[in-house]
């Protein structure tokens, strides 16, 4: 059979099918491509799609779609890490460190500490102040102080621990008041050294006089002795010397009271106690 012969059913032979061309009839459109997975919309201001899961979650959270997006937004806003350029601030960073409580002292150490403090106070000290200083509970201080006071009384000490003016302080016992009074009034007389007595005599008989003049008469430096006499209230400054500007010293009213004198004119004459060439010696030291 030739290629151009008719088939048995009388049909004309078909030409080989070529590539199908899209229809161009009016009103018909080309079929739309198959829908693929929808890509998330880029965040406003970003250069492209999110590059990590955290950034994708933040993008969805900013758009406000879905529970997963809301969760991602919450994490991104509450704890932004290094990817966002903002240092993370957790709850631990906002908590203040609680100082550890001081160790509790045993009864013997607490008793000794209280006695040491009570020996140096000059006014009654309250239980609260003692508790704060020792860093101990306030409810422990009162019973220990009561125990100390009872122990002093039972032992018959010459002093007692007593409550006074809202605090605690050591006091001498009333039965020993006469001895304390005798010590305060008579037994606490101030004794001067030999150097202080000599310096005081020079000031008394040569006043007003400078320290350099006193040192020249005694032959030794008298600065320390002068300071001692000033602190005792027996000598005082009384101006300056016109030529040198050095301080001048004289005796005080207390000096007269201690010696029972009305004025320095009542001092005994010094001549009987001086050598014959005292004036020459004095001129040589000037």
């Amino acid at each position: 059979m030739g290629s151009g012969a008719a088939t048995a059913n009388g049909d004309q032979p078909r030409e080989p099918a070529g590539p199908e061309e899209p229809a161009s009839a009016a009103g018909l459109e080309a079929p739309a491509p198959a829908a693929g997975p929808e890509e998330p919309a880029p965040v406003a201001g970003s250069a492209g799609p999110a590059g990590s899961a955290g950034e994708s979650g933040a993008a969805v959270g900013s758009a406000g779609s879905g529970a997963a997006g809301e969760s991602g937004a919450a994490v991104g806003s509450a704890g932004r890490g290094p990817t966002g350029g903002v240092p993370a601030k957790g709850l631990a960073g906002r908590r203040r460190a609680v100082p550890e409580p001081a160790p509790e002292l045993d009864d013997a150490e607490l008793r000794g500490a209280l006695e040491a403090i009570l020996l140096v106070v000059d006014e009654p000290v309250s239980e609260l102040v003692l508790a704060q200083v020792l860093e101990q509970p306030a409810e422990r201080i009162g019973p220990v102080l009561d125990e100390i006071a009872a122990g002093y009384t039972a032992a018959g000490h010459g002093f007692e621990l007593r409550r006074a003016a809202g605090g605690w302080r050591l006091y001498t016992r009333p039965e020993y008041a006469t001895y304390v009074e005798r010590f305060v009034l008579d037994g606490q007389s101030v004794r001067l050294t030999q150097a202080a007595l000599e310096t005081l005599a020079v000031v008394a008989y040569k006043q007003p006089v400078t320290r350099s003049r006193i040192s020249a008469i005694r032959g030794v430096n008298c600065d320390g002795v002068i300071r001692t006499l000033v602190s005792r209230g027996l000598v005082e400054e009384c101006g300056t010397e016109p030529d040198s500007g050095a301080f001048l010293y004289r005796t005080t009213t207390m000096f007269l009271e201690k010696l029972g004198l009305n004025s320095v004119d009542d001092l005994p004459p010094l001549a009987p106690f001086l050598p014959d060439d005292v004036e020459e010696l004095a001129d040589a030291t000037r």
Side-chain angles (χ1 to χ4, degrees):
M1 290 177 60
S3 62
T7 61
N9 55 9
D11 294 335
Q12 295 293 329
R14 298 181 181 178
E15 296 181 359
E20 183 177 341
E21 296 181 0
S24 57
L28 296 180
E29 296 180 358
E38 182 178 0
E39 297 181 0
V43 186
S46 62
S52 64
E55 294 173 354
S56 175
V60 175
S62 62
S65 61
E70 294 175 357
S71 174
V75 173
S77 60
R80 297 179 181 175
T83 56
V86 180
K89 295 182 179 179
L91 294 178
R94 294 196 294 267
R95 292 174 183 171
R96 295 182 179 178
V98 179
E100 297 181 359
E104 185 171 334
L105 303 178
D106 56 31
D107 292 341
E109 188 172 2
L110 179 59
R111 176 190 177 100
L114 289 172
E115 289 178 332
I117 294 175
L118 291 170
L119 280 174
V120 298
V121 298
D122 55 357
E123 60 182 9
V125 57
S126 66
E127 297 177 7
L128 181 59
V129 172
L130 292 172
Q132 292 175 348
V133 171
L134 299 177
E135 297 183 346
Q136 297 298 307
E139 55 270 14
R140 290 193 62 197
I141 304 300
V144 176
L145 291 173
D146 291 332
E147 181 182 349
I148 295 174
Y152 289 164
T153 302
H157 290 302
F159 55 89
E160 62 182 350
L161 181 58
R162 189 191 310 166
R163 287 181 180 270
W168 293 82
R169 188 181 181 185
L170 293 171
Y171 292 90
T172 57
R173 294 193 180 277
E175 53 266 33
Y176 303 109
T178 55
Y179 304 104
V180 175
E181 183 180 0
R182 187 183 308 169
F183 172 78
V184 171
L185 297 180
D186 300 330
Q188 208 176 13
S189 59
V190 177
R191 296 184 178 276
L192 297 177
T193 63
Q194 184 65 28
L197 289 173
E198 293 177 1
T199 303
L200 183 59
V202 173
V203 175
Y205 283 94
K206 291 291 185 178
Q207 59 183 317
V209 61
T210 63
R211 284 185 298 179
S212 60
R213 177 64 173 164
I214 298 171
S215 299
I217 294 175
R218 293 196 60 236
V220 293
N221 188 292
C222 300
D223 293 348
V225 182
I226 288 294
R227 286 194 295 268
T228 300
L229 294 175
V230 171
S231 64
R232 297 287 181 87
L234 299 175
V235 170
E236 64 183 0
E237 295 179 1
C238 61
T240 56
E241 191 177 45
D243 297 336
S244 63
F247 288 106
L248 295 171
Y249 293 90
R250 66 184 179 189
T251 55
T252 62
T253 304
M254 180 183 292
F255 169 80
L256 298 176
E257 292 177 358
K258 294 294 184 181
L259 296 182
L261 302 176
N262 187 39
S263 67
V264 292
D265 295 334
D266 297 334
L267 287 170
L270 190 59
F273 304 97
L274 296 177
D276 297 335
D277 56 348
V278 62
E279 294 296 336
E280 297 177 3
L281 294 174
D283 293 339
T285 58
R286 291 179 182 175

